[in-house]
Amino acid sequence: MMRLPLLRVLPLLRVLPVLRVLPVLRVLCVLLCAALPVLAAACATGPSLEDRGRVTAAPGDSRHLTIGSAGFTESDLLARMYSLLLEHAGYRTKVISVSNREIYEPALESGQIDVVSEYAATFADWLSARTHGPGAPPAGSPDLRATMHALRSLAEPRGLKVLDPGRAVDQNAFAVTEEFARAHHLRTLSDLGRSGIPVRLAAGDECVRRPYCAPGLEKTYGIRISGIDPKGVGTTQAKQAVRSGQDQMVLTTTTDATLDEFGLVLLEDDRHLQNADYIVPVVNRARAGGPGVTKALGRLNTVLTTQDLARLNEQVDSWRRLPEDVARQYLRSKGLLPE
């Protein structure tokens, strides 16, 4: 047997492991090259929210939809009306209650919830703060067209589709007693400003700094606010304080169904201080963004008014009727459901 000198063998020993590894490296290189387009595609379909552009996938049309309610009367009523209209159009639905926007909006993005009712300006402001940080300027305004444009620009990159607003709007509103309005010839907030009468306002304690509350009343209408009575927004205690004369005006909403019980009337926001909080359906585009859902929910836009919504709220809150029963009766009365 021939023996190789040790000095000749050592270089060969160093090379052998490399020779054994080379085929493995070649295979890994081939696999990596093949995987690169896939990895690139994966990155392209799942960018961070900040990098998302216009959604280009076709809107979906799932036949099983989950409707979200925020858990208060008005939201419950709207969820039931959406559910009934969609079922009439051939969808299967269920309604779930989720207590706040911080929970239901991410669920709407992920497809755990497919449809919710929202308030255009408020939702635009909320999405703006979520996208750009808590110091972001407001996206909503009293101008409905500008508000809808801002809202859709914020919602679309999140995979949400904002349907058209209807006629109903739920805004902050200010009410006085009928007696007070008659005595001082008040119909609008401008009338109150011109009168020069100082008023104590029953509202939430945040009203002192909110631009659409005391500061806005003073700046836009010249109303003299003598003080804020922190009894909350539209609460029974706040309305009772105005009825008794302890306060002269109360902050409530345009769909408050109990004003008559306290002898109160709204003063018109004739200079449009309040934002355009029209009611809009918002859907998960991938599951409910197709024309079927849009058409079914759009039928409500032509009939539901702010006054209608206030009366429906009253039937639930004061008459203790079930939201589903109230919603069904209303839709039948408007010819949107068969008898």
Side-chain angles (χ1 to χ4, degrees):
M1 181 176 178
M2 186 176 66
R3 298 176 182 269
L4 291 175
L6 182 60
L7 291 177
R8 294 180 185 177
V9 173
L10 286 175
L12 183 59
L13 292 174
R14 293 191 190 100
V15 172
L16 285 175
V18 176
L19 293 175
R20 286 196 294 267
V21 170
L22 281 175
V24 177
L25 290 177
R26 290 192 190 99
V27 172
L28 288 175
C29 288
V30 170
L31 291 174
L32 182 59
C33 291
L36 282 174
V38 178
L39 293 172
C43 293
T45 57
S48 66
L49 178 62
E50 291 77 10
D51 296 331
R52 290 181 195 170
R54 184 173 297 276
V55 177
T56 56
D61 190 32
S62 173
R63 308 309 292 180
H64 295 77
L65 299 174
T66 299
I67 319 297
S69 164
F72 57 92
T73 298
E74 188 165 289
S75 186
D76 287 344
L77 282 164
L78 290 165
R80 293 298 174 181
M81 284 192 276
Y82 290 176
S83 175
L84 289 166
L85 288 169
L86 288 168
E87 288 187 350
H88 182 60
Y91 295 87
R92 293 183 63 183
T93 69
K94 66 177 179 180
V95 175
I96 64 171
S97 182
V98 185
S99 59
N100 60 66
R101 190 175 281 116
E102 286 76 11
I103 296 175
Y104 71 68
E105 192 280 334
L108 185 63
E109 286 189 31
S110 69
Q112 294 171 292
I113 294 175
D114 302 305
V115 184
V116 298
S117 64
E118 264 295 354
Y119 302 93
T122 296
F123 195 41
D125 287 348
W126 192 87
L127 285 180
S128 179
R130 186 162 185 231
T131 302
H132 304 297
S141 74
D143 185 323
L144 177 60
R145 180 174 294 182
T147 295
M148 289 298 297
H149 176 76
L151 174 56
R152 284 171 167 154
S153 297
L154 289 161
E156 187 178 77
R158 294 179 175 274
L160 306 180
K161 180 180 178 180
V162 182
L163 306 188
D164 290 340
R167 300 163 62 189
V169 57
D170 190 349
Q171 298 167 302
N172 285 346
F174 299 91
V176 298
T177 64
E178 294 179 15
E179 182 181 358
F180 187 84
R182 282 196 304 269
H184 301 288
H185 310 289
L186 306 179
R187 187 181 61 82
T188 67
L189 290 170
S190 289
D191 294 338
L192 180 57
R194 282 191 294 267
S195 74
I197 302 168
V199 295
R200 181 173 163 87
L201 177 60
D205 54 8
E206 72 279 1
C207 179
V208 175
R209 59 184 180 276
R210 290 287 173 87
Y212 308 117
C213 201
L217 290 173
E218 292 170 340
K219 180 179 179 180
T220 303
Y221 289 106
I223 295 172
R224 296 171 59 192
I225 304 295
S226 62
I228 302 295
D229 187 3
K231 285 185 163 58
V233 179
T235 63
T236 298
Q237 293 84 355
K239 294 170 195 170
Q240 287 174 338
V242 175
R243 181 170 62 180
S244 69
Q246 178 183 343
D247 300 325
Q248 288 73 51
M249 188 162 67
V250 60
L251 170 62
T252 183
T253 66
T254 52
T255 58
D256 190 326
T258 64
L259 294 178
D260 288 346
E261 298 175 20
F262 295 89
L264 303 177
V265 293
L266 294 179
L267 296 180
E268 180 187 347
D269 179 20
D270 54 309
R271 295 185 185 174
H272 307 291
L273 170 64
Q274 302 304 317
N275 276 348
D277 260 331
Y278 283 77
I279 292 168
V280 291
V282 182
V283 304
N284 178 288
R285 187 178 186 274
R287 288 181 49 81
V293 171
T294 300
K295 181 179 179 180
L297 298 183
R299 299 174 67 209
L300 190 61
N301 284 354
T302 59
V303 298
L304 183 67
T305 66
T306 304
Q307 292 73 23
D308 288 345
L309 198 50
R311 285 192 288 268
L312 298 179
N313 286 336
E314 181 182 24
Q315 291 181 44
V316 176
D317 290 336
S318 299
W319 303 0
R320 303 302 180 194
R321 297 187 62 198
L322 294 175
E324 185 172 4
D325 293 341
V326 173
R328 181 178 285 104
Q329 182 181 36
Y330 176 78
L331 295 176
R332 285 175 175 171
S333 73
K334 297 297 181 179
L336 300 181
L337 287 182
E339 293 291 341

